[in-house]
Amino acid sequence: MSLGLAEVEALALAAHAGQTDKAGRPYAEHLRAVAEGVRARGGGDELVAAAWLHDAVEDGALSEDWLRTADLDRRTKDVVRAVTKQPGEAPQAYARRILATPGARLVKAADLAHNADPDRLAVLDEATARRLERKYSAMRQYLGLTSDD
């Protein structure tokens, strides 16, 4: 990978600058938690880089054209593409793509773990929290993830 992790982190933070999560927290907190979660799950630099960028294309913070030409390892790019949900895509199809891409399941596991953190869900209104819990639980099942993942 030509871009170092510090460069990827800075790029991701700049791309998501000013963005907040559903609870109104700076989006950088989520990116950092997912990157740390990937590292804690044994992911190497290529997957940690993908964790920093995991929502960049999906959220429109960076374009697919940028990703195609970025000076990143191919595995990093493949994982970012795999975890980028497409508009109107069925959850099962999304999960199949993740499972077919080496390393993507680990990145998505870290993403889901942070998204489903009870402390994060507790600040949302009850209906939103329940809807998200169901959504995250279903995706964990599609990916064959356990509570230890």
Side-chain angles (χ1 to χ4, degrees):
M1 176 169 58
S2 295
L3 288 177
L5 274 180
E7 293 168 301
V8 172
E9 175 182 348
L11 186 86
L13 293 175
H16 290 278
Q19 187 178 350
T20 57
D21 66 12
K22 290 173 180 64
R25 301 290 307 157
Y27 207 74
E29 292 177 8
H30 175 63
L31 299 177
R32 184 166 282 106
V34 175
E36 290 171 358
V38 165
R39 182 69 77 199
R41 287 166 173 79
D45 288 355
E46 296 166 344
L47 295 183
V48 174
W52 279 109
L53 298 169
H54 79 278
D55 280 336
V57 175
E58 183 175 319
D59 291 352
L62 296 170
S63 70
E64 172 58 38
D65 285 341
W66 175 86
L67 183 62
R68 186 176 55 257
T69 62
D71 194 10
L72 295 168
D73 184 89
R74 180 178 174 89
R75 184 174 188 205
T76 298
K77 291 180 181 187
D78 289 347
V79 170
V80 171
R81 285 187 186 101
V83 299
T84 298
K85 193 165 189 318
Q86 302 302 313
E89 183 175 32
Q92 297 89 335
Y94 178 50
R96 281 192 299 274
R97 184 175 62 251
I98 290 169
L99 291 171
T101 306
R105 183 176 179 266
L106 189 143
V107 172
K108 191 62 182 176
D111 179 39
L112 288 168
H114 189 247
N115 282 339
D117 182 310
D119 292 337
R120 287 187 81 208
L121 293 172
V123 301
L124 302 175
D125 65 85
E126 189 174 338
T128 300
R130 288 191 194 287
R131 177 182 61 78
L132 291 174
E133 284 175 333
R134 286 190 301 272
K135 175 184 168 183
Y136 302 146
S137 176
M139 184 54 61
R140 290 178 70 75
Q141 285 184 324
Y142 297 143
L143 296 174
L145 296 170
T146 68
S147 58
D148 295 331
D149 292 319

